[in-house]
Every structure is written in structure tokens, then in C-alpha cells.
Amino acid sequence: MYSIKRVSEMLNIPAVTIRAWESRYNIINPTRTEGGHRLYSEEEVAIIKWLKEQTEDNNMKISEAVRMLESMKPFKDKKVESSPSNEKLVVSNNYNNNIEQLYSNIIDLNNHQANETMDIAFSMYHYEDVFHKILAPTLHLIGDNWEKGNISVAQEHFGSQIILQRFNQFYRTLPVNPLAPKGLSICPEGEEHHIGLMLFSLFLRKKGSDVIYLGPNTLLENIPEIIKEKDIKIIAISSSSPKNIAKLEKWLGLLKEKFPRLKIVVGGRGFANSRESFSFHVLSSEVTSWEKWYENNISK
């Protein structure tokens, strides 16, 4: 248990701020000593730490961070490991355990336990780490085993849907900056794999962009009309198959001619051998490359 003074020192948050969050949003309920002094559990310290990260690192209002917390309930009845010797929060970075547990829950078609496993992950790590290092690898594992015939179509669909639900949950809670460029995210017709597209869309949404997410199997013929009507400034396209990439690259060239100021980014295994041109940028799956592209093309 930690005093409010100790929590303030550990997290570099003024005690008055902690009291304000506690009284205004009822997100934590510290116990009291006989003298009336607050004592915070490890879980409560983890909640405060998470809220601080959202307000400082993700530029969220505290009310928005609280709504996100309540929508996913990541900390309810969960344990966060700590080191009593130095009173600092210590969290394991063994993502493989989380991946294996979630995969097992999905294969068992256990909706309740799968959501519990994701809730625990979100209570332990930053949400971007959960999506990139746990949920995405789990989906890849599911996809690989489905292609090998090791799991059924029902299991593959169940896993995809339960993770997509969590993506949508976070996507809705992230605030939109009306001044940020609008985005459009698609996978071309016949393309069903869209985890990378989901992650990049979440990245743009974190930057404040309102992104229209059309997802997999999108007909390209309607895209120019959408770009024009919705004043789209960024379009992201993902493809895992190289089969129709040459045709797709030609279409992107025509799209760029029609909308010269449009920023086009592509990704996925299908574009592995593609070279950047005046029409589009090829991005890897690394967030660092996304940040670099955004800084060079959008922030300027």
C-alpha cells in the first residue's frame, strides 16, 4: 500500500491532481488509515499511471481517458506485479504468454475468457503495445494455422471478430481533431487480411485524424467519389497478396493524377517488392516508419 505522498513522488503527479481525479471520476477508492490518510493499492497506482500516460503521451483529456478506461475496464480485479523492495511498478514484458493464452481462449471459442485475457493485457501494457505485440501476432498465428488446416473457419472467424471488436472499442474513444487531415483505409477487392490496416488506422486516429475505415474486400471504383465528397487527404491501402499489385499500382498512379495533393500509403506483404514512386509511399509494419512518414509528409 502506498501513501498519496509516495504515489505523487513515484508518478510525478501532484497530490491535489490525484485527489481531484479520485473525487470527480470515482475511478479509484483508496482505503483509509485510522487517522483518515489515503492508502493506494498497486492496482490503483497502476490506474493512475495509465491515466497519466493517456493525458501526457496521447494528449487526451482526463475525461476522455476515464471514458476509455471505463469502456474496457482493464483494471478490474486484475493484479499488477510490483517490487516491494523499491516500491516501483514492475511489469513483465513476456508477450508470448499473453499470445498463447489468448490463442488458446480463441481456439476454445471462449468469449468470456478471451476478453478477460485482453483486459489483463491492457492493464499491464500501453494499448499500442497490446495491439502491436499481442493482438496482431495472435491474429497472424490464427491465420497461419487456418491456412495449414489446423483450425476451423469458425475458430478463425471468432478470433478475427473478437479482436476487431476491441479495435473498434478503442477507435471510437480516441478523440478527433477537426483540423487533422481526414483518412480513408481500404483493402482491395479479394483481400481479407486487414490487421495491419487496422493498426495504421489506429495510428492515424491517435494523431487526431477522422479515418473512414472500409476494411477488407473494398471495390476500388467507388473510391474517387468518396475522396472527393469527404475531402480525404490520406488513403491507406493494404494487401497481403502480390497477385494484383501491378494492376493496383497502375490504379494508384491514376488516382494520384486525379488528386495530386492526396497522400497515398501502402503496406502488407503484397507490396514487399514495390518501390516508392511519385504516387505512393511504401510503409513497413514498424511504427517508427509510420512516425517518420507522418513527420515528413503530414506534420510539415
Side-chain angles (χ1 to χ4, degrees):
M1 303 294 284
Y2 306 96
S3 68
I4 192 168
K5 179 181 178 181
R6 183 61 184 138
V7 175
S8 176
E9 293 173 347
M10 290 166 57
L11 303 182
N12 193 27
I13 302 177
V16 65
T17 300
I18 297 174
R19 293 192 191 96
W21 289 358
E22 176 188 331
S23 62
R24 185 173 302 173
Y25 300 106
N26 298 314
I27 49 174
I28 49 178
N29 185 28
T31 59
R32 300 271 184 161
T33 66
E34 292 183 1
H37 299 292
R38 292 171 171 83
L39 288 178
Y40 296 85
S41 67
E42 293 166 357
E43 290 85 358
E44 288 166 335
V45 174
I47 290 175
I48 298 169
K49 180 175 183 287
W50 186 87
L51 290 171
K52 182 191 179 195
E53 289 174 348
Q54 304 316 306
T55 57
E56 293 186 356
D57 298 344
N58 298 327
N59 297 317
M60 296 181 70
K61 296 178 181 178
I62 180 61
S63 59
E64 295 168 340
V66 170
R67 283 199 300 271
M68 179 183 289
L69 179 67
E70 291 175 341
S71 70
M72 69 183 194
K73 297 180 180 178
F75 297 97
K76 185 177 180 181
D77 299 326
K78 305 297 186 290
K79 300 297 182 182
V80 179
E81 296 179 15
S82 68
S83 172
S85 62
N86 58 14
E87 296 185 323
K88 291 183 179 179
L89 293 179
V90 178
V91 178
S92 169
N93 283 322
N94 189 357
Y95 300 112
N96 288 335
N97 290 340
N98 302 88
I99 295 170
E100 291 171 4
Q101 184 62 54
L102 181 57
Y103 178 78
S104 176
N105 299 150
I106 289 172
I107 297 308
D108 290 340
L109 302 180
N110 192 327
N111 183 74
H112 175 74
Q113 194 57 54
N115 277 296
E116 285 282 297
T117 299
M118 287 189 285
D119 284 344
I120 292 174
F122 280 112
S123 75
M124 295 173 65
Y125 312 113
H126 189 279
Y127 77 87
E128 289 182 300
D129 287 332
V130 176
F131 279 109
H132 284 270
K133 299 177 182 179
I134 297 176
L135 301 191
T138 301
L139 273 182
H140 287 307
L141 184 61
I142 291 170
D144 289 343
N145 278 287
W146 175 73
E147 290 179 357
K148 294 176 182 177
N150 295 331
I151 64 175
S152 68
V153 173
Q155 290 169 318
E156 190 274 334
H157 284 182
F158 175 76
S160 298
Q161 287 304 310
I162 199 169
I163 291 177
L164 181 60
Q165 288 171 9
R166 192 56 64 105
F167 164 79
N168 288 331
Q169 185 182 62
F170 267 83
Y171 192 76
R172 290 194 303 268
T173 59
L174 291 174
V176 172
N177 179 356
L179 299 179
K182 291 183 179 180
L184 176 66
S185 295
I186 67 171
C187 289
E189 187 175 6
E191 178 61 63
E192 298 291 341
H193 301 285
H194 60 123
I195 179 61
L197 187 71
M198 287 167 47
L199 295 176
F200 187 74
S201 300
L202 196 65
F203 166 81
L204 289 179
R205 187 60 177 265
K206 179 186 172 185
K207 297 293 187 181
S209 289
D210 184 9
V211 182
I212 299 174
Y213 190 83
L214 298 184
N217 204 27
T218 300
L219 291 175
L220 299 181
E221 61 188 44
N222 299 322
I223 298 304
E225 183 179 354
I226 295 174
I227 292 173
K228 183 178 180 179
E229 288 186 0
K230 298 301 181 180
D231 193 27
I232 300 298
K233 302 299 183 184
I234 304 171
I235 181 170
I237 303 174
S238 177
S239 179
S240 63
S241 172
K243 184 177 179 180
N244 295 314
I245 292 299
K247 181 180 178 181
L248 187 57
E249 288 181 350
K250 183 179 179 180
W251 178 82
L252 290 174
L254 296 174
L255 192 67
K256 187 68 173 181
E257 290 180 7
K258 187 175 182 66
F259 303 99
R261 299 178 67 86
L262 180 68
K263 303 296 184 182
I264 303 175
V265 292
V266 301
R269 286 177 290 183
F271 288 99
N273 296 321
S274 297
R275 293 183 178 181
E276 288 195 0
S277 68
F278 77 96
S279 301
F280 57 83
H281 295 270
V282 181
L283 298 184
S284 71
S285 61
E286 298 296 325
V287 179
T288 52
S289 73
W290 303 353
E291 290 283 2
K292 184 177 180 180
W293 169 81
Y294 194 91
E295 181 181 352
N296 292 336
N297 295 275
I298 306 300
S299 296
K300 288 185 176 181

